[in-house]
Amino acid sequence: MTDAGRAEWTLPDGEREAIREGLIEWYEADHREYPWRETDDPYEILVSEVMSQQTQLDRVIEAWEDFLERWPTVSDLAAADRADVVGFWSDHSLGYNNRAKYLHEAAAQVESAFDGDFPETPAALQELMGVGPYTANAVASFAFNNGDAVVDTNVKRVLYRAFGLPDEDSAFEAGAAELMPTGRSRVWNNAIMELGGVACQKTPRCDEMGCPWREWCQAYATGDFTAPDVPTQSAFEGSRRQFRGRIIRTLGEYDELEADTLGHRIRVDYTPDGEFGREWLEGLLSDLRDDGLVEFEESDGELLVRLRR
Ligand code: SF4
Protein backbone atom coordinates (compact mmCIF):
# COMPACT_ATOMS: atom_id res chain seq x y z
CA MET A 1 0.00 0.00 0.00
CA THR A 2 1.29 3.49 -0.79
CA ASP A 3 1.53 6.14 1.90
CA ALA A 4 -1.14 8.09 0.04
CA GLY A 5 -3.45 5.09 0.38
CA ARG A 6 -2.73 5.01 4.08
CA ALA A 7 -3.55 8.66 4.71
CA GLU A 8 -7.26 8.22 5.44
CA TRP A 9 -6.90 5.77 8.25
CA THR A 10 -9.75 4.81 10.56
CA LEU A 11 -10.44 1.77 12.67
CA PRO A 12 -12.78 -0.75 11.05
CA ASP A 13 -16.36 0.45 11.66
CA GLY A 14 -18.13 -1.08 14.61
CA GLU A 15 -15.22 -3.38 15.37
CA ARG A 16 -13.37 -1.33 17.92
CA GLU A 17 -14.52 -3.27 20.96
CA ALA A 18 -13.87 -6.63 19.32
CA ILE A 19 -10.37 -5.50 18.34
CA ARG A 20 -9.64 -4.33 21.87
CA GLU A 21 -11.07 -7.32 23.67
CA GLY A 22 -9.45 -9.71 21.22
CA LEU A 23 -6.01 -8.38 22.06
CA ILE A 24 -6.56 -8.26 25.82
CA GLU A 25 -7.92 -11.81 25.89
CA TRP A 26 -5.01 -13.04 23.77
CA TYR A 27 -2.54 -11.40 26.17
CA GLU A 28 -4.24 -12.64 29.30
CA ALA A 29 -4.41 -16.20 27.99
CA ASP A 30 -0.64 -16.40 27.61
CA HIS A 31 2.38 -14.10 27.66
CA ARG A 32 6.01 -14.03 28.57
CA GLU A 33 6.45 -14.02 32.34
CA TYR A 34 8.64 -11.24 33.63
CA PRO A 35 8.73 -10.59 37.38
CA TRP A 36 8.10 -6.85 36.92
CA ARG A 37 4.81 -7.73 35.27
CA GLU A 38 3.71 -9.17 38.61
CA THR A 39 4.16 -5.96 40.56
CA ASP A 40 2.59 -2.52 40.62
CA ASP A 41 5.31 -0.99 42.78
CA PRO A 42 6.54 2.10 40.86
CA TYR A 43 10.07 1.79 42.25
CA GLU A 44 10.41 -1.82 41.10
CA ILE A 45 8.97 -0.92 37.70
CA LEU A 46 11.25 2.08 37.28
CA VAL A 47 14.29 -0.10 38.02
CA SER A 48 13.15 -2.66 35.41
CA GLU A 49 12.55 0.04 32.80
CA VAL A 50 15.92 1.70 33.31
CA MET A 51 17.70 -1.65 33.19
CA SER A 52 15.86 -2.77 30.04
CA GLN A 53 16.90 0.27 28.04
CA GLN A 54 20.13 -1.35 26.97
CA THR A 55 20.01 -4.93 28.09
CA GLN A 56 18.12 -7.95 26.82
CA LEU A 57 15.10 -8.70 28.94
CA ASP A 58 16.17 -12.22 29.83
CA ARG A 59 19.42 -10.87 31.26
CA VAL A 60 17.66 -8.09 33.13
CA ILE A 61 15.75 -10.54 35.34
CA GLU A 62 18.74 -11.57 37.44
CA ALA A 63 20.08 -8.03 37.74
CA TRP A 64 16.66 -6.71 38.72
CA GLU A 65 16.22 -9.34 41.42
CA ASP A 66 19.71 -8.72 42.83
CA PHE A 67 19.19 -4.96 42.79
CA LEU A 68 15.93 -5.19 44.71
CA GLU A 69 17.41 -7.60 47.19
CA ARG A 70 20.16 -5.09 47.88
CA TRP A 71 17.98 -1.95 47.85
CA PRO A 72 14.39 -3.16 48.38
CA THR A 73 12.73 0.28 48.53
CA VAL A 74 13.17 3.70 47.04
CA SER A 75 14.32 5.03 50.41
CA ASP A 76 16.96 2.28 50.65
CA LEU A 77 18.28 3.33 47.26
CA ALA A 78 18.19 7.02 48.13
CA ALA A 79 20.29 6.29 51.21
CA ALA A 80 22.80 4.16 49.31
CA ASP A 81 26.31 5.20 48.46
CA ARG A 82 26.51 6.37 44.84
CA ALA A 83 29.67 4.35 44.24
CA ASP A 84 27.93 1.14 45.33
CA VAL A 85 25.07 1.71 42.88
CA VAL A 86 27.45 2.44 40.01
CA GLY A 87 29.57 -0.57 41.00
CA PHE A 88 26.48 -2.78 40.89
CA TRP A 89 25.70 -1.48 37.40
CA SER A 90 29.18 -2.29 36.10
CA ASP A 91 29.28 -5.71 37.76
CA HIS A 92 26.03 -6.67 36.02
CA SER A 93 27.08 -5.22 32.63
CA LEU A 94 24.02 -2.99 32.49
CA GLY A 95 25.38 -0.42 30.06
CA TYR A 96 26.07 3.27 30.66
CA ASN A 97 26.89 3.95 34.29
CA ASN A 98 25.11 7.28 33.98
CA ARG A 99 21.85 5.37 34.19
CA ALA A 100 22.85 4.13 37.64
CA LYS A 101 23.65 7.68 38.71
CA TYR A 102 20.32 8.98 37.40
CA LEU A 103 18.40 6.18 39.08
CA HIS A 104 20.09 6.96 42.38
CA GLU A 105 19.35 10.65 41.88
CA ALA A 106 15.71 9.93 41.00
CA ALA A 107 15.31 7.91 44.21
CA ALA A 108 16.66 10.87 46.19
CA GLN A 109 14.18 13.17 44.42
CA VAL A 110 11.24 10.90 45.29
CA GLU A 111 12.32 11.05 48.91
CA SER A 112 12.97 14.77 49.07
CA ALA A 113 10.54 16.35 46.61
CA PHE A 114 7.63 13.89 46.77
CA ASP A 115 7.77 12.71 50.41
CA GLY A 116 8.70 9.18 49.40
CA ASP A 117 5.65 8.66 47.14
CA PHE A 118 6.16 8.42 43.41
CA PRO A 119 4.25 10.90 41.27
CA GLU A 120 1.53 9.15 39.26
CA THR A 121 1.23 10.94 35.93
CA PRO A 122 3.53 10.71 32.91
CA ALA A 123 4.19 14.47 33.08
CA ALA A 124 5.12 14.48 36.78
CA LEU A 125 7.23 11.34 36.46
CA GLN A 126 9.30 13.09 33.83
CA GLU A 127 10.51 15.48 36.50
CA LEU A 128 12.61 12.64 37.89
CA MET A 129 16.24 12.56 36.88
CA GLY A 130 16.89 10.52 33.75
CA VAL A 131 13.22 9.68 33.22
CA GLY A 132 12.19 10.50 29.66
CA PRO A 133 8.71 10.37 28.12
CA TYR A 134 8.82 6.64 27.34
CA THR A 135 9.94 5.55 30.82
CA ALA A 136 7.55 7.97 32.52
CA ASN A 137 4.66 6.57 30.54
CA ALA A 138 5.68 2.99 31.28
CA VAL A 139 5.79 3.65 35.04
CA ALA A 140 2.47 5.54 34.91
CA SER A 141 0.90 2.64 33.00
CA PHE A 142 2.30 -0.36 34.82
CA ALA A 143 2.34 1.05 38.36
CA PHE A 144 -0.71 3.32 38.32
CA ASN A 145 -2.72 2.21 35.28
CA ASN A 146 -2.56 5.87 34.39
CA GLY A 147 -0.50 6.10 31.21
CA ASP A 148 -0.99 7.02 27.59
CA ALA A 149 -0.80 4.55 24.72
CA VAL A 150 2.78 3.40 24.20
CA VAL A 151 4.24 3.99 20.76
CA ASP A 152 7.55 2.21 20.24
CA THR A 153 9.06 0.42 17.25
CA ASN A 154 7.06 -2.74 17.91
CA VAL A 155 3.79 -0.87 18.23
CA LYS A 156 4.44 1.08 15.02
CA ARG A 157 5.06 -2.14 13.15
CA VAL A 158 1.80 -3.65 14.40
CA LEU A 159 -0.30 -0.57 13.59
CA TYR A 160 1.27 -0.11 10.18
CA ARG A 161 0.57 -3.71 9.19
CA ALA A 162 -2.76 -4.29 10.86
CA PHE A 163 -4.59 -1.06 10.13
CA GLY A 164 -2.58 0.52 7.36
CA LEU A 165 -1.46 3.61 9.28
CA PRO A 166 0.92 5.89 7.39
CA ASP A 167 4.53 5.91 8.54
CA GLU A 168 4.28 9.18 10.48
CA ASP A 169 4.79 9.65 14.20
CA SER A 170 1.68 11.80 14.55
CA ALA A 171 -0.45 9.13 12.87
CA PHE A 172 0.94 6.38 15.09
CA GLU A 173 0.35 8.42 18.21
CA ALA A 174 -3.22 9.28 17.24
CA GLY A 175 -3.97 5.71 16.15
CA ALA A 176 -2.47 4.14 19.27
CA ALA A 177 -4.41 6.55 21.49
CA GLU A 178 -7.67 5.84 19.68
CA LEU A 179 -7.20 2.11 20.02
CA MET A 180 -6.37 2.01 23.73
CA PRO A 181 -9.44 1.46 25.91
CA THR A 182 -9.83 4.28 28.44
CA GLY A 183 -8.37 3.55 31.85
CA ARG A 184 -6.70 0.29 30.83
CA SER A 185 -3.16 1.38 30.02
CA ARG A 186 -1.59 -1.29 32.24
CA VAL A 187 -2.97 -4.30 30.41
CA TRP A 188 -3.22 -2.58 27.03
CA ASN A 189 0.35 -1.39 26.75
CA ASN A 190 1.63 -4.75 27.94
CA ALA A 191 -0.59 -6.52 25.42
CA ILE A 192 0.25 -4.48 22.33
CA MET A 193 3.97 -4.59 23.09
CA GLU A 194 3.69 -8.35 23.57
CA LEU A 195 1.94 -8.65 20.21
CA GLY A 196 4.78 -6.77 18.51
CA GLY A 197 7.38 -8.71 20.49
CA VAL A 198 6.24 -12.28 19.92
CA ALA A 199 3.78 -12.33 16.99
CA CYS A 200 4.16 -9.26 14.79
CA GLN A 201 7.93 -9.52 14.69
CA LYS A 202 9.94 -8.42 11.68
CA THR A 203 9.20 -11.85 10.29
CA PRO A 204 5.60 -12.17 11.42
CA ARG A 205 4.26 -15.29 13.16
CA CYS A 206 0.57 -14.55 12.72
CA ASP A 207 -0.84 -18.07 12.74
CA GLU A 208 1.79 -19.66 14.90
CA MET A 209 1.15 -17.19 17.71
CA GLY A 210 -2.61 -17.04 17.12
CA CYS A 211 -2.59 -13.29 16.46
CA PRO A 212 -6.00 -11.99 17.56
CA TRP A 213 -6.06 -9.34 14.81
CA ARG A 214 -5.82 -11.62 11.80
CA GLU A 215 -9.40 -11.01 10.73
CA TRP A 216 -8.81 -7.25 10.49
CA CYS A 217 -5.14 -7.15 9.57
CA GLN A 218 -4.41 -5.67 6.16
CA ALA A 219 -0.97 -7.27 5.96
CA TYR A 220 -2.39 -10.69 6.76
CA ALA A 221 -5.00 -10.29 4.04
CA THR A 222 -2.62 -9.14 1.34
CA GLY A 223 0.64 -10.88 2.28
CA ASP A 224 2.48 -7.54 2.24
CA PHE A 225 4.34 -7.52 5.56
CA THR A 226 6.54 -4.54 4.95
CA ALA A 227 6.73 -2.13 7.87
CA PRO A 228 8.73 0.99 8.75
CA ASP A 229 11.55 -1.19 10.11
CA VAL A 230 11.20 -4.12 7.71
CA PRO A 231 12.97 -4.00 4.35
CA THR A 232 11.03 -5.36 1.42
CA GLN A 233 13.11 -8.46 0.90
CA SER A 234 12.72 -9.92 4.35
CA ALA A 235 9.03 -9.13 4.21
CA PHE A 236 8.83 -11.10 1.01
CA GLU A 237 10.51 -14.06 2.64
CA GLY A 238 8.29 -13.72 5.69
CA SER A 239 5.25 -13.65 3.49
CA ARG A 240 6.34 -16.71 1.58
CA ARG A 241 6.97 -18.69 4.74
CA GLN A 242 3.64 -17.60 6.03
CA PHE A 243 1.71 -18.74 2.99
CA ARG A 244 3.51 -22.07 2.98
CA GLY A 245 2.25 -22.49 6.56
CA ARG A 246 -1.27 -21.55 5.56
CA ILE A 247 -1.30 -24.04 2.71
CA ILE A 248 -0.24 -26.86 5.02
CA ARG A 249 -2.80 -25.94 7.67
CA THR A 250 -5.61 -25.58 5.14
CA LEU A 251 -4.84 -28.86 3.42
CA GLY A 252 -4.79 -30.53 6.84
CA GLU A 253 -8.53 -29.89 7.04
CA TYR A 254 -9.39 -31.63 3.76
CA ASP A 255 -8.58 -34.86 1.95
CA GLU A 256 -7.76 -32.79 -1.12
CA LEU A 257 -8.56 -29.40 -2.61
CA GLU A 258 -8.70 -27.98 -6.09
CA ALA A 259 -5.86 -25.44 -6.48
CA ASP A 260 -7.99 -22.32 -7.00
CA THR A 261 -10.22 -23.25 -4.07
CA LEU A 262 -7.08 -23.57 -1.97
CA GLY A 263 -5.87 -20.18 -3.27
CA HIS A 264 -9.10 -18.49 -2.19
CA ARG A 265 -8.85 -20.04 1.24
CA ILE A 266 -5.34 -18.84 1.94
CA ARG A 267 -5.64 -15.25 0.78
CA VAL A 268 -8.57 -12.92 0.26
CA ASP A 269 -7.05 -11.23 -2.79
CA TYR A 270 -6.43 -14.47 -4.70
CA THR A 271 -7.48 -14.30 -8.36
CA PRO A 272 -6.32 -17.10 -10.65
CA ASP A 273 -4.68 -14.83 -13.20
CA GLY A 274 -3.77 -11.97 -10.84
CA GLU A 275 -0.45 -11.06 -9.24
CA PHE A 276 -1.17 -13.44 -6.40
CA GLY A 277 -2.84 -16.08 -8.52
CA ARG A 278 -2.31 -19.46 -9.97
CA GLU A 279 1.29 -18.96 -11.01
CA TRP A 280 2.21 -17.67 -7.57
CA LEU A 281 0.38 -20.57 -5.90
CA GLU A 282 1.95 -23.22 -8.12
CA GLY A 283 5.39 -21.82 -7.26
CA LEU A 284 4.69 -22.36 -3.58
CA LEU A 285 3.18 -25.80 -4.20
CA SER A 286 6.21 -26.91 -6.21
CA ASP A 287 8.51 -25.91 -3.37
CA LEU A 288 6.34 -27.77 -0.89
CA ARG A 289 6.35 -30.84 -3.12
CA ASP A 290 10.14 -30.68 -3.39
CA ASP A 291 10.23 -30.58 0.40
CA GLY A 292 8.08 -33.73 0.48
CA LEU A 293 5.11 -31.99 2.12
CA VAL A 294 2.39 -31.95 -0.55
CA GLU A 295 1.49 -33.75 -3.74
CA PHE A 296 -0.74 -32.73 -6.62
CA GLU A 297 -2.07 -34.10 -9.88
CA GLU A 298 -4.16 -33.01 -12.87
CA SER A 299 -7.58 -34.63 -13.05
CA ASP A 300 -10.28 -33.62 -15.55
CA GLY A 301 -8.52 -30.32 -16.17
CA GLU A 302 -8.30 -29.51 -12.46
CA LEU A 303 -5.23 -29.45 -10.29
CA LEU A 304 -5.95 -31.42 -7.12
CA VAL A 305 -3.68 -30.80 -4.14
CA ARG A 306 -3.31 -32.78 -0.92
CA LEU A 307 -0.90 -33.27 1.93
CA ARG A 308 1.58 -36.03 1.46
CA ARG A 309 0.70 -38.42 4.29
S1 SF4 B 1 -1.97 -10.79 11.63
FE1 SF4 B 1 0.27 -10.91 11.50
S2 SF4 B 1 0.91 -9.03 10.52
FE2 SF4 B 1 -1.18 -8.72 11.26
S3 SF4 B 1 -0.99 -7.80 13.30
FE3 SF4 B 1 -1.13 -10.01 13.56
S4 SF4 B 1 1.00 -10.74 13.62
FE4 SF4 B 1 1.02 -8.66 12.71
Side-chain angles (χ1 to χ4, degrees), residues 129-168:
M129 190 72 182
V131 176
Y134 181 86
T135 303
N137 192 51
V139 175
S141 299
F142 304 141
F144 303 111
N145 195 23
N146 190 33
D148 301 318
V150 162
V151 180
D152 65 3
T153 314
N154 280 342
V155 172
K156 286 181 186 176
R157 191 166 57 246
V158 174
L159 296 180
Y160 186 91
R161 285 174 172 162
F163 304 117
L165 267 71
D167 181 12
E168 291 160 14

Side-chain angles (χ1 to χ4, degrees), residues 158 161-162 195 199-201 204-206 211-214 217-220 225 242:
V158 174
R161 285 174 172 162
L195 186 67
C200 205
Q201 299 168 328
R205 300 165 70 201
C206 318
C211 175
W213 285 355
R214 281 172 291 179
C217 178
Q218 297 184 6
Y220 189 78
F225 293 98
Q242 182 136 36

